[in-house]
């Protein structure tokens, strides 16, 4: 396949491979000839489109023609503009599809004392403030030699926050740090404080709920003579506590999977994102849960999510999710639709609607059961929406902190980053999968070559079960573990 018309009502097709000027495109009984070279992932007009008329892709408007466009023309940022407005009013017109239950499956994970399931048995070092980042990393280096038994790694998750913050900004940091300390992929946690910071250990304890002192240790650096030596001793105690724990069969209904895309291209909404959407439906059919985030990349496709909300209350929460994030842009005097990125545009994405309609393909067809605020953990099984920006590191961290065991990350251009949980990279095209084998875990590009969406979604589901059972993803093999908190307010 060299090109594809995604929906019967589309007036553009997408080049799956680069097309030369003068190439004939035949779809059904209609043919056009390209008027210029068309890069892979970019759009070609299938008919004449007048200035001001809708450009249709995915069966939906992705923008307006800035000028007259002839059949066979390259359709991109030079001749298409966004049609989106600012704050909008929405009506709840439900179109809900119930996902049929399918046979149970399982993975081999770690059962925690509180009943939660984890897919890793790691020791995490969580600084309460950026002032002790170097101490955290020094303890990590010393403690890695102590790893034994079922303990898989010792990881320090450094960040620049925890002090000199105010109001909701400080509150967000405290919620995220508490989520991190309570995360079920961590068999043991060392909470490392300085002693004089705003988000100090006594304050954080109020956010943690019941504390298992065999699993969570606290160290205030200003109160000990040698904080590194003391930290290593505490890590050794944590390792001794969990080294003999074993993986056991756990039903896949307990899995929570985050879904994110970045470095997208024109194939993201054709291959990788629809495959992840089909995966989401499969997991939900087995009682599991998925979380979709990056709210600014829902703009322009939000009504497709709203009509799938399980009830009016969930619909109203989704409306607030969208409009509150638009107000975040406006309150900072920023353009709401400052998207897509230069890399997205180079890959063939022309407008935010174009990007969003591809992005939301990851949600599959299941109903939306809940909307989570930033730092809030999942409560309702099924498809959840999460408030977070589109930034890759911030959004992937937010997914993990809402309870995701694993993050699925689709990309058309590639990225090596990770998150606090296994971050499984899915290439939209085979060229990327072959060129960056050290980054990519799964090739969705085969969907336009030799495998169907259903086959690839089932392959992805099997791979996720393997990762949940201990198989390392490429970023883990490389030793990458990133952590980023959403900065929203004044720094003192």
């Amino acid at each position: 396949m060299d090109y594809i018309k995604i929906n019967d009502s589309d007036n553009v097709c997408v080049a799956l491979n680069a097309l030369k000027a003068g190439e004939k495109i035949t779809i059904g009984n209609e043919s056009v000839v390209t008027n210029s070279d068309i890069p892979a992932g970019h759009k070609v007009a299938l008919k004449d489109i007048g200035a001001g008329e809708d450009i249709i892709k995915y069966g939906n408007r992705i923008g307006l023609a800035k000028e007259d466009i002839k059949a066979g023309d390259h359709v991109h940022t030079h001749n298409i503009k966004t049609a989106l407005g600012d704050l909008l009013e929405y009506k709840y017109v439900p179109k809900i599809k119930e996902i049929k239950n399918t046979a149970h499956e399982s993975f081999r994970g770690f059962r925690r004392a509180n009943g939660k399931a984890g897919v890793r048995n790691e020791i995490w070092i969580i600084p309460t403030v950026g002032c002790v980042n170097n101490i955290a990393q020094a303890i990590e280096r010393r403690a890695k030699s102590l790893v034994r038994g079922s303990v898989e790694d010792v990881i320090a998750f450094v960040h620049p926050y925890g002090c000199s913050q105010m109001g909701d900004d400080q509150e967000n940091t405290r919620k995220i740090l508490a989520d991190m300390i309570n995360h079920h992929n961590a068999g043991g946690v060392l909470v490392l404080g300085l002693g004089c910071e705003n988000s100090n250990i006594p304050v954080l304890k109020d956010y943690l709920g019941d504390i298992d002192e065999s699993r969570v240790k606290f160290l205030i650096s200003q109160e000990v003579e040698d904080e590194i030596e003391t930290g290593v001793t505490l890590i050794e105690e944590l390792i001794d506590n969990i080294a003999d724990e074993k993986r056991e069969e756990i039903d896949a209904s307990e899995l929570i999977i985050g879904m994110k895309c970045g470095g997208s291209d024109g194939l993201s909404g054709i291959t990788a994102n629809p495959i992840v959407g089909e995966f989401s439906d499969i997991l939900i059919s087995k009682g599991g849960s998925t979380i979709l985030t990056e709210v600014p990349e829902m703009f322009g496709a939000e009504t497709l999510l709203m009509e799938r909300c399980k009830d009016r209350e969930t619909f109203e929460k989704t409306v607030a999710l969208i409009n509150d994030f638009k107000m975040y842009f406006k309150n900072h005097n920023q353009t709401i639709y400052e998207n897509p990125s230069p890399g997205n545009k180079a890959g063939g994405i022309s407008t935010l609607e174009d990007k969003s309609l591809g992005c939301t393909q990851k949600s599959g067809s299941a109903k939306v059961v809940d909307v989570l605020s930033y730092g809030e953990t999942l409560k309702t099984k099924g498809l959840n929406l999460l408030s977070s920006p589109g930034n890759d590191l911030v959004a992937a961290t937010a997914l993990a902190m809402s309870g995701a065991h694993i993050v699925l990350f689709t990309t058309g251009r590639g990225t090596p980053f990770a998150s606090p949980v296994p971050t499984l990279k899915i290439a939209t095209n085979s060229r990327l999968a072959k060129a960056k084998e050290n980054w990519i875990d799964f090739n969705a590009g085969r969907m336009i070559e030799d495998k169907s969406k259903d086959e690839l979604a089932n392959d992805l589901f099997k791979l996720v079960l393997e990762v949940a059972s201990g198989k390392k993803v490429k970023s883990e093999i490389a030793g990458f573990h990133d952590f980023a908190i959403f900065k929203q307010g004044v720094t003192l």
Side-chain angles (χ1 to χ4, degrees):
M1 298 172 63
D2 288 324
Y3 48 82
I4 185 172
K5 182 180 180 181
I6 300 169
N7 186 283
D8 289 342
S9 62
D10 293 353
N11 56 14
V12 296
C13 69
V14 179
L16 301 178
N17 295 301
L19 303 174
K20 294 290 186 182
E23 285 199 38
K24 186 177 181 180
I25 294 174
T26 301
I27 297 175
N29 296 322
E30 298 182 351
S31 296
V32 298
V33 175
T34 56
N35 298 323
S36 63
D37 291 349
I38 310 293
H42 287 237
K43 296 172 288 294
V44 184
L46 294 175
K47 65 176 186 177
D48 292 345
I49 305 170
E53 291 184 3
D54 292 345
I55 308 295
I56 306 296
K57 180 183 173 187
Y58 302 110
N60 292 275
R61 182 177 67 185
I62 63 165
L64 302 172
K66 292 196 288 189
E67 58 191 42
D68 289 342
I69 298 172
K70 297 295 184 184
D73 279 356
H74 181 200
V75 179
H76 197 35
T77 52
H78 61 285
N79 56 11
I80 179 175
K81 63 180 179 180
T82 182
L84 295 177
D86 287 351
L87 300 183
L88 304 175
E89 293 185 4
Y90 303 96
K91 292 183 179 180
Y92 182 43
V93 184
K95 298 180 182 177
I96 297 172
K97 174 185 175 182
E98 295 291 342
I99 301 294
K100 294 181 179 179
N101 294 336
T102 58
H104 284 258
E105 299 207 36
S106 63
F107 65 97
R108 294 190 61 79
F110 293 95
R111 180 66 68 188
R112 303 303 180 198
N114 63 3
K116 298 289 187 180
V119 305
R120 293 292 181 268
N121 203 31
E122 298 168 336
I123 302 294
W124 289 0
I125 305 170
I126 312 298
T128 62
V129 64
C131 304
V132 293
N133 282 346
N134 288 327
I135 302 303
Q137 291 173 321
I139 295 171
E140 175 196 77
R141 288 192 294 270
R142 287 270 303 274
K144 280 187 182 292
S145 64
L146 302 174
V147 170
R148 63 183 181 83
S150 64
V151 177
E152 295 166 300
D153 206 351
V154 176
I155 307 162
F157 288 99
V158 298
H159 62 89
Y161 303 122
C163 204
S164 302
Q165 294 177 275
M166 301 172 66
D168 290 343
D169 189 39
Q170 183 75 277
E171 186 70 11
N172 279 343
T173 294
R174 291 169 179 170
K175 287 193 294 185
I176 290 297
L177 292 178
D179 291 340
M180 194 75 172
I181 295 164
N182 286 328
H183 199 282
H184 23 269
N185 279 8
V189 179
L190 173 63
V191 184
L192 177 66
L194 179 59
C196 55
E197 66 273 22
N198 295 125
S199 292
N200 56 55
I201 284 174
V203 168
L204 274 183
K205 283 183 176 180
D206 291 337
Y207 289 74
L208 294 177
D210 294 334
I211 299 170
D212 179 353
E213 295 184 1
S214 67
R215 178 186 170 274
V216 182
K217 304 291 184 182
F218 299 93
L219 172 59
I220 299 174
S221 299
Q222 291 173 344
E223 296 183 358
V224 298
E225 181 178 353
D226 188 333
E227 64 281 354
I228 296 176
E229 193 65 41
T230 304
V232 171
T233 299
L234 292 174
I235 294 288
E236 189 167 17
E237 292 176 12
L238 290 169
I239 291 174
D240 288 343
N241 183 55
I242 66 170
D244 293 331
E245 292 185 0
K246 304 294 182 185
R247 289 185 179 269
E248 60 184 82
E249 290 293 320
I250 297 175
D251 195 274
S253 62
E254 297 193 45
L255 272 180
I256 304 170
I257 305 298
M259 303 180 297
K260 172 78 178 78
C261 58
S264 302
D265 68 356
L267 297 184
S268 294
I270 297 172
T271 60
N273 289 351
I275 289 167
V276 169
E278 186 70 19
F279 161 87
S280 177
D281 287 351
I282 292 170
L283 181 58
I284 290 170
S285 78
K286 299 179 185 300
S289 303
T290 56
I291 308 173
L292 180 71
T293 191
E294 55 193 329
V295 178
E297 293 169 27
M298 298 176 187
F299 298 165
E302 67 267 39
T303 57
L304 300 180
L305 295 170
M306 291 173 182
E307 66 190 20
R308 289 162 51 194
C309 290
K310 69 175 183 179
D311 52 29
R312 181 168 291 278
E313 180 184 1
T314 309
F315 164 76
E316 295 294 349
K317 290 172 73 173
T318 305
V319 171
L321 174 76
I322 298 298
N323 283 338
D324 287 354
F325 226 97
K326 288 182 178 180
M327 285 305 302
Y328 163 67
F329 279 64
K330 293 174 72 68
N331 289 339
H332 287 79
N333 300 313
Q334 298 300 313
T335 304
I336 290 175
Y337 305 114
E338 188 60 38
N339 220 330
S341 70
N344 296 154
K345 293 174 183 176
I349 297 174
S350 307
T351 62
L352 182 52
E353 301 100 298
D354 193 0
K355 187 174 185 179
S356 295
L357 287 162
C359 173
T360 54
Q361 301 280 329
K362 298 193 299 295
S363 66
S365 62
K367 63 185 176 185
V368 177
V369 298
D370 201 4
V371 179
L372 307 173
S373 61
Y374 180 73
E376 184 180 5
T377 54
L378 184 140
K379 303 178 294 295
T380 307
K381 287 191 173 186
L383 173 64
N384 288 250
L385 306 181
L386 168 64
S387 179
S388 173
N391 177 275
D392 293 347
L393 275 68
V394 173
T397 297
L399 287 167
M401 296 306 95
S402 285
H405 295 96
I406 297 167
V407 171
L408 302 184
F409 188 91
T410 65
T411 179
R413 303 183 67 79
T415 177
F417 95 102
S419 80
V421 300
T423 306
L424 195 157
K425 304 291 175 45
I426 302 169
T428 68
N429 60 84
S430 294
R431 178 203 56 77
L432 172 63
K434 292 173 183 175
K436 301 301 296 185
E437 290 183 349
N438 58 323
W439 292 355
I440 300 300
D441 299 283
F442 188 87
N443 179 16
R446 295 186 64 184
M447 183 174 159
I448 58 173
E449 296 167 358
D450 60 355
K451 299 197 82 169
S452 70
K453 181 177 75 171
D454 288 349
E455 288 176 308
L456 287 164
N458 279 289
D459 289 346
L460 179 59
F461 181 75
K462 292 174 184 175
L463 177 57
V464 167
L465 293 183
E466 290 175 4
V467 172
S469 299
K471 180 183 175 71
K472 302 293 186 186
V473 298
K474 296 294 178 64
S475 57
E476 288 182 294
I477 293 169
F480 299 160
H481 302 90
D482 296 312
F483 177 61
I485 299 172
F486 186 17
K487 173 67 177 171
Q488 290 184 276
V490 170
T491 298
L492 294 175

